[in-house]
Amino acid sequence: MGALTLGRLALLAGLAGVLLAPWHGMEDAAALAAWPRAEAAPLAALLADGERWWMWPAVGLLALAALPLVRGRMAGGLVAACGAAILAIVFLQGQAIGLRGLAWPALAPLLGTPAPQPALGWGGALVLAAAAGLIASGLAQRGRFGGDAFIAFLVVGSAGLLLLFVFVPLLTILSAAAIEDGRLAPGALAARLAAHEAWSLACVTTHQGCGVVWNTLLLACLAAAASTLIGLAFALLSARGGVRAQPAFRAMTILPLITPPFVVSLALIVLFGRTGLVTTAMWDWFGIPRSRWIYGLPGVLLAQVLAQAPIAFVLLEGAVRAIGPSLEEAAATMGARHFVVFRTVTWPLLRPALAACLLLGFVESLSDFGNPLVLGGDFDVLSTRIFFAIAGARHEPGRAAALALLLLALTFGAFALQALWLGRRRYTTVTGKGDSGVPAPLPRGLRISCGAVAWPWMGFTATVYGIILVGGFVHDIGRGDMAFTWRHILTGFEVEWRDGIAFRGSAWDSLFTTLEVAAISAPLTAGLGILLAWLLARQSFPGRGALEFMAMLSFAIPGTVVGVSYIMAFNEPPVELTGTALILVVCFVFRNLPVGVRGGIAALAQIDKSLDEASATMGGGAVQTLRRVVLPLLRPAIVAALAFSFVHAMTAVSAVIFLVSARHNLATVYIVGRVEAGEMALAIAYCTVLILVMLAVVLGIERIVGRAQLGRRPAPLRAGA
Amino acid sequence: MTDAAIRFERVTKAFGVVRAVDDLTFDLPRGALVTLLGPSGCGKTTTLRLVAGLELPTEGRIEIEGGDVTRLAAAERRIAMVFQSYALFPHMTVLENVSYGLVVGGARRQSAEGEAQAMLKTLGLEGLGARLPAELSGGQQQRVAVARALVLRPKVLLFDEPLSNLDARLRRRVREDIRDLQKRLGLSVVYVTHDQQEALAVSDLLVVMRDGRIAQKGTPTELYDDPADAFVADFMGEANVLEGEVLASDGGMGRIAVGGAVLEAPMRAHPAGRASLAVRPEAIRLVSAEQGAGLPGRVQRAAFLGQTREYEVATEAGMLFVVTPAAAPAWEEGAEVLCRMERVIPLRT
């Protein structure tokens, strides 16, 4: 695309943003009827009425940029400068004049006492997009970005979006932690970060609970260790144990991907709660008294390990299979026995994968929110404490922000540790040369102990998922009443035929919203992710490293932190999104973006760069090359990204629990609500429906492109290898 | 309108602190096959990519057929390139590959495919249009890549080491095909290779590059017989470089002193005095020690290679590498011989 074309398109968008689209107001269809007056008034109408007079400079700049664009003689520097200035004016005036009038008293001499103004609407969005277009077009005309305006626009646009939706929320939460009563208070920040509730060591000496930081760390360490051990047992059995149970192993790996993360908690309550099946049996048969042991560390740990062990299995199985048999054969020919071979060759080669696996389990446990919420009882971790600081009896955003910072620091610490560790040592076991040896079988003792761990665990997993499948269709599984009934399904999903179809079940609304949000955000995530991957892998431009960092940043931010930062950042003008469905979509897109980007980059690494260049030399511009060459070759990666973001949008709970509203509720949040209200059976019935929907989606996608690579997070090991 | 197909004016391309192409200025004529030659890292591929628009220069100005293309993206330059890997689109058939450039250029699919079919026929690929690239042999893939480039009627056709993925036997045939095609259609071609034999065989004009600059430019014979310096002499084929003295030279026969011997040999005019002298291995004749004038030496190693024999001869002037036709008399290791020079090249540096 030529710079001039992009400039003119940007100009059109800018004109539409000024003349047509409502300047304020995002999604209220009713207000649109008032156009072009009142709430739906475009900027032009407001200016004509003498309001928003401080926007005249922006309009003037648009006209200034229009002169060279219309004449067809680009002046790149001027156009880019106009775009940047418009961007600055729109944002600054939005910050300066908010819902309560002038927010920055320092500007009073200049602006007087302007009337309050609400958040930016579609008009504002269009003008901002136009400004980005002008900047890109100007830069491209100056020969930046290889002179390609399309690439320039992609870079400027995605950088802007990432700044707004990843970076600004982080900054907001940082500043929120340091603000008390509307003033900057470093003392308050220090006090909050060092709070007793976070760091108390009371549990060591007394019966009181410890600080949430210690709780979180303890839980994360235990969950990481247990899930890695169990995953390893499965991996060794599957890859080296000569076991013929691959279908069962596969089923175990796919189930956790398509279940909402807290579903296992429900099953655990049904099994081990005070009136649970196992608890009752124990009481009836052995006289073991009923207790609430499942609510607390043991329960949360069990639930997290149930969810994480299959992922550890997938990671470690890959690592075990990647060890070239010739290495082990070499050791054997030098006289080493089975167990010595395992101890001296296989095990050391597995260590990087084990470390990666531990770290992944650790990070997943840190960011887990659903299980501690449902099963935690008095055992609070950071993610739940953050939630209650916002949604509990007392609304304390400063405290929530400080706790979020602590959680963020733990997560970043883990990733930094991993980077350090993987940075220092890299074992490449896949050399690219054919390795035709026979893998060494497991030593006998090890095989037996692996089996002793793996088979009972598989039985346990099967029971847990069995409970979920059955629980929705019996009277009251919580009390052992196993008579078949459609009651719970009907409560949630009743449909009536009376003058057409009527969805009367209480769960329909949230299911429809969930499907809609997932269906909208998945293509956006995949699209933006693949485009970003293409930019990062194929184009060289100044600031590429920064763009990559921002694109990957949200990968390391726990969902709870994202949720808190979003409600803090987007609750007031100029960008006000809370309570809309848009904020859910935005949240999902930017949370799942890193997976799409990584998948895209990995796939692009397999595609020779000369294909792009060949297209360019034959006259294919960036758009044509992307459409005809790159995207068709990236199809598997695109589909994987689509499936991942769809499934994740349907199962996520930690970030969105802060962002849902009465009008836009999501399935997972609805289920958590049912659990809190004690309606366990309805919750389980809903889970069953969700799992079936996602299974249908994943299987449908698998049918289209064969076995797509689905994973909660991509293996961090690969990033290093 | 100038005669130059491509003109570089003080072009520099820097990657960080590395200047891959350093202040390069040249004109390449139209309708000729010009080869950029040099060791890896000399900047020849970067130069080609600068012509293609796959890199934009840090400084300087590039013209194609008289038009300034310095800031033009690759897609707008009307050049075509055959890549080392061929870069055939694996998800398109041969016909789709060849018509790709026409289609993205806005041609109707039907007319584009018609032209593509005709081009496939020109290159002897008729009947293969429906295949995927993976179903073709290496030589066929190479011709599809050429067809795909030619169908666009480019102002300049660029080849980036097009033969390196072919086996030795095929390489010779394909390079002759390329040369025939270029002559038949009068194309302006820029060809990059690191193989001097390939370069000598196909080129009208050779540009030897070193460290991002031109070491020497000329016809194949000029470069082989009259290299400017030791680097070019060595790169254009094996050369023995001797330190000696020019006693007299008038452009025909010259007299030189090397290793204590005074020899007469054909050489171009050069002022008398000390000089570096290059002698090609095949320009040295070995005769028996009794036969009078020559640089005396002793055969250190002898090898028989079928068509030729190779010797290493220790002389006062240093070790000489000598290649003789197999039909010439053979020498045992340890034999005492005289070396006679049939052509001596005084080097300028």
Side-chain angles (χ1 to χ4, degrees):
Chain A
M1 197 194 297
L4 196 60
T5 321
L6 175 68
R8 287 177 172 165
L9 283 176
L11 208 58
L12 281 182
L15 281 180
V18 171
L19 297 176
L20 298 176
W23 184 245
H24 302 291
M26 261 304 182
E27 59 170 31
D28 205 339
L32 265 185
W35 192 86
R37 286 275 165 264
E39 284 174 39
L43 183 61
L46 293 170
L47 286 172
D49 289 351
E51 292 179 71
R52 312 283 184 272
W53 52 266
W54 52 86
M55 283 303 297
W56 276 115
V59 177
L61 284 167
L62 200 62
L64 185 60
L67 282 176
L69 286 173
V70 171
R71 284 218 313 266
R73 295 188 51 193
M74 280 289 284
L78 174 75
V79 171
C82 284
I86 294 172
L87 209 63
I89 290 176
V90 171
F91 269 114
L92 286 179
Q93 64 88 25
Q95 289 286 352
I97 305 164
L99 282 175
R100 289 176 292 279
L102 197 63
W104 294 348
L107 288 182
L110 184 64
L111 295 171
T113 49
Q117 61 173 356
L120 292 175
W122 292 116
L126 274 173
V127 169
L128 289 176
L134 289 179
I135 295 175
S137 141
L139 289 177
Q141 197 274 331
R142 300 284 302 263
R144 299 291 171 85
F145 303 104
D148 194 308
F150 173 68
I151 292 171
F153 183 64
L154 275 185
V155 172
V156 173
S158 52
L161 286 175
L162 285 169
L163 271 178
L164 184 60
F165 291 117
V166 177
F167 200 64
V168 167
L170 265 191
L171 275 187
T172 313
I173 207 166
L174 266 173
S175 62
I179 283 177
E180 195 166 64
D181 302 330
R183 277 182 297 105
L184 202 65
L189 174 66
R192 283 168 181 159
L193 286 179
H196 186 69
E197 67 163 336
W199 299 99
S200 153
L201 279 168
C203 58
V204 181
T205 48
T206 68
H207 285 294
Q208 289 174 319
C210 266
V212 271
V213 171
W214 302 119
N215 282 353
T216 310
L217 278 175
L218 178 68
L219 174 66
C221 289
L222 289 176
S227 58
T228 303
L229 272 181
I230 293 169
L232 181 63
F234 274 103
L236 289 174
L237 271 190
S238 164
R240 296 290 168 88
V243 178
R244 297 189 187 186
Q246 294 300 331
F249 281 31
R250 292 295 141 223
M252 220 191 85
T253 59
I254 195 122
L255 273 174
L257 300 182
I258 54 164
T259 44
F262 53 85
V263 167
V264 282
S265 302
L266 303 187
L268 287 180
I269 293 176
V270 166
L271 284 172
F272 302 112
R274 256 182 71 80
T275 57
L277 300 176
V278 175
T279 315
T280 308
M282 288 292 173
W283 170 242
D284 289 349
W285 299 343
F286 306 111
I288 298 173
R290 299 172 187 269
S291 74
R292 295 176 52 85
W293 67 273
I294 194 76
Y295 295 98
L297 178 65
V300 182
L301 180 61
L302 211 52
Q304 288 187 346
V305 174
L306 272 168
Q308 185 63 26
I311 292 154
F313 162 51
V314 174
L315 264 182
L316 293 172
E317 195 202 18
V320 174
R321 288 195 192 276
I323 294 174
S326 58
L327 293 175
E328 291 167 322
E329 286 182 338
T333 57
M334 288 183 272
R337 285 161 188 276
H338 270 173
F339 191 75
V340 179
V341 171
F342 182 84
R343 189 169 56 79
T344 54
V345 178
T346 319
W347 178 255
L349 287 175
L350 270 181
R351 277 195 313 222
L354 285 172
C357 201
L358 280 171
L359 273 154
L360 188 67
F362 185 81
V363 171
E364 285 286 340
S365 166
L366 286 185
S367 55
D368 184 20
F369 169 75
N371 289 313
L373 183 70
V374 174
L375 273 178
D378 295 334
F379 181 80
D380 260 357
V381 290
L382 279 167
S383 57
T384 49
R385 192 62 71 88
I386 292 168
F387 174 67
F388 288 119
I390 290 285
R394 288 198 299 158
H395 178 72
E396 295 173 288
R399 193 178 130 229
L403 290 171
L405 282 185
L406 288 174
L407 182 53
L408 202 58
L410 288 184
T411 322
F412 278 155
F415 276 106
L417 220 84
Q418 181 196 23
L420 263 179
W421 206 84
L422 278 184
R424 260 189 297 129
R425 52 183 89 188
R426 259 169 216 176
Y427 304 146
T428 308
T429 51
V430 185
T431 53
K433 290 182 200 143
D435 197 336
S436 57
V438 181
L442 279 187
R444 192 159 167 275
L446 191 64
R447 201 179 73 222
I448 291 172
S449 31
C450 283
V453 173
W455 297 123
W457 188 260
M458 190 172 265
F460 183 45
T461 310
T463 315
V464 164
Y465 282 95
I467 293 284
I468 296 162
L469 281 183
V470 173
F473 300 95
V474 297
H475 266 287
D476 191 348
I477 196 164
R479 294 178 197 284
D481 183 351
M482 302 296 266
F484 178 82
T485 176
W486 287 108
R487 189 160 56 98
H488 310 303
I489 295 286
L490 281 182
T491 315
F493 299 97
E494 191 181 351
V495 176
E496 232 178 20
W497 287 96
R498 189 182 295 162
D499 315 326
I501 197 163
F503 298 97
R504 298 177 57 86
S506 59
W508 281 118
D509 279 349
S510 60
L511 183 64
F512 286 147
T513 311
T514 307
L515 284 173
E516 189 188 328
V517 168
I520 293 173
S521 65
L524 288 177
T525 314
L528 188 58
I530 297 289
L531 282 180
L532 267 171
W534 181 69
L535 282 182
L536 295 173
R538 285 290 201 265
Q539 311 295 332
S540 60
F541 48 87
R544 198 182 65 172
L547 191 68
E548 183 168 12
F549 176 75
M550 277 203 299
M552 295 317 227
L553 185 60
S554 60
F555 183 67
I557 308 176
T560 329
V561 179
V562 173
V564 172
S565 65
Y566 267 44
I567 50 169
M568 287 179 178
F570 303 123
N571 203 25
E572 279 189 6
V575 184
E576 185 186 342
L577 297 172
T578 44
T580 64
L582 189 61
I583 196 169
L584 297 172
V585 172
V586 167
C587 176
F588 284 137
V589 168
F590 288 93
R591 285 233 345 110
N592 297 332
L593 192 61
V595 176
V597 174
R598 278 205 185 182
I601 287 179
L604 278 167
Q606 309 284 321
I607 300 171
D608 194 351
K609 196 180 176 191
S610 63
L611 292 182
D612 298 33
E613 293 176 350
S615 171
T617 58
M618 285 187 283
V623 184
Q624 294 266 26
T625 305
L626 204 58
R627 185 165 75 86
R628 291 175 188 269
V629 179
V630 179
L631 291 184
L633 291 171
L634 280 182
R635 217 179 76 183
I638 295 172
V639 172
L642 268 177
F644 175 88
S645 38
F646 188 88
V647 165
H648 241 218
M650 289 200 64
T651 59
V653 63
S654 57
V656 290
I657 199 165
F658 295 93
L659 304 177
V660 295
S661 49
R663 268 178 65 195
H664 305 288
N665 202 356
L666 290 181
T668 48
V669 180
Y670 179 84
I671 295 172
V672 168
R674 291 313 97 216
V675 174
E676 286 180 336
E679 297 174 44
M680 199 65 82
L682 176 56
I684 292 181
Y686 201 163
C687 287
T688 315
V689 172
L690 268 192
I691 290 175
L692 289 180
V693 169
M694 283 182 286
L695 206 58
V697 170
V698 171
L699 288 181
I701 286 167
E702 280 203 358
R703 266 187 81 90
I704 298 169
V705 284
R707 275 193 55 190
Q709 298 288 312
L710 294 180
R712 280 184 179 226
R713 286 166 185 265
L717 188 67
R718 304 258 167 78
Chain B
M1 193 108 164
T2 62
D3 265 353
I6 298 169
R7 161 170 289 165
F8 270 41
E9 271 178 38
R10 314 209 57 176
V11 172
T12 293
K13 174 68 188 178
F15 298 103
V17 289
V18 182
R19 295 164 88 86
V21 164
D22 193 2
D23 198 15
L24 208 56
T25 300
F26 60 72
D27 279 358
L28 302 182
R30 283 191 205 199
L33 195 157
V34 183
T35 300
L36 302 178
L37 181 67
S40 58
C42 71
K44 57 187 192 299
T45 297
T46 308
T47 307
L48 192 76
R49 292 169 63 85
L50 283 167
V51 176
L54 296 172
E55 311 280 357
L56 295 182
T58 317
E59 278 169 49
R61 177 183 160 89
I62 301 173
E63 286 178 13
I64 293 180
E65 294 199 342
D68 183 1
V69 299
T70 314
R71 292 281 139 204
L72 231 48
E76 297 160 34
R77 290 198 180 184
R78 292 221 34 217
I79 43 86
M81 181 154 166
V82 175
F83 288 79
Q84 188 172 7
S85 62
Y86 313 144
L88 299 179
F89 303 132
H91 59 299
M92 299 182 192
T93 63
V94 166
L95 191 62
E96 285 170 336
N97 261 290
V98 177
S99 49
Y100 178 85
L102 299 169
V103 172
V104 298
R108 299 265 292 275
R109 181 164 290 274
Q110 255 185 343
S111 72
E113 289 191 347
E115 277 186 60
Q117 286 287 13
M119 186 51 73
L120 286 177
K121 201 169 166 198
T122 312
L123 285 162
L125 293 163
E126 58 265 73
L128 298 180
R131 300 234 194 133
L132 287 173
E135 297 166 335
L136 301 182
S137 71
Q140 288 171 329
Q141 291 181 12
Q142 212 270 351
R143 274 184 285 160
V144 172
V146 173
R148 190 172 73 167
L150 280 181
V151 81
L152 296 171
R153 306 186 196 292
K155 290 176 178 169
V156 182
L157 181 55
L158 308 174
F159 284 93
D160 184 11
E161 310 225 1
L163 307 184
S164 59
N165 283 331
L166 299 175
D167 62 49
R169 210 176 281 258
L170 204 51
R171 209 172 284 182
R172 183 170 178 158
R173 221 191 69 209
V174 172
R175 90 181 177 212
E176 279 159 15
D177 286 350
I178 291 176
R179 180 61 163 160
D180 283 349
L181 203 65
Q182 181 265 331
K183 279 186 174 162
R184 190 145 50 92
L185 303 178
L187 299 168
S188 306
V189 171
V190 182
Y191 190 107
V192 158
T193 180
H194 62 269
D195 181 341
Q196 49 89 17
Q197 241 191 351
E198 192 179 318
L200 289 172
V202 297
S203 313
D204 291 312
L205 186 67
L206 273 172
V207 179
V208 180
M209 294 188 63
R210 180 194 194 182
D211 297 337
R213 293 164 177 270
I214 294 181
Q216 196 179 355
K217 190 175 128 182
T219 64
T221 14
E222 276 168 8
L223 286 192
Y224 192 80
D225 288 344
D226 195 11
D229 56 22
F231 171 78
V232 177
D234 196 51
F235 195 79
M236 293 310 301
E238 304 262 5
N240 298 292
V241 178
L242 310 172
E243 294 306 315
E245 194 177 348
V246 177
L247 303 174
S249 83
D250 57 3
M253 291 298 272
R255 265 154 55 81
I256 57 169
V258 284
V262 174
L263 307 173
E264 291 208 341
M267 64 186 287
R268 69 170 140 77
H270 189 276
R274 296 210 62 81
S276 292
L277 303 166
V279 189
R280 297 279 176 207
E282 70 277 6
I284 300 176
R285 205 148 50 88
L286 300 180
V287 295
S288 63
E290 301 86 52
Q291 289 203 358
L295 177 63
R298 162 197 270 268
V299 175
Q300 292 275 347
R301 289 198 323 137
F304 174 61
L305 274 74
Q307 295 181 341
T308 56
R309 293 175 196 276
E310 293 183 0
Y311 300 100
E312 280 178 25
V313 182
T315 71
E316 288 284 307
M319 192 70 83
L320 290 187
F321 178 62
V322 181
V323 177
T324 67
W331 301 94
E332 302 279 310
E333 285 177 7
E336 298 289 340
V337 293
L338 286 177
C339 306
R340 288 190 180 161
M341 315 294 172
E342 295 186 332
R343 182 170 177 86
V344 172
I345 308 158
L347 299 174
R348 294 193 181 106
T349 45

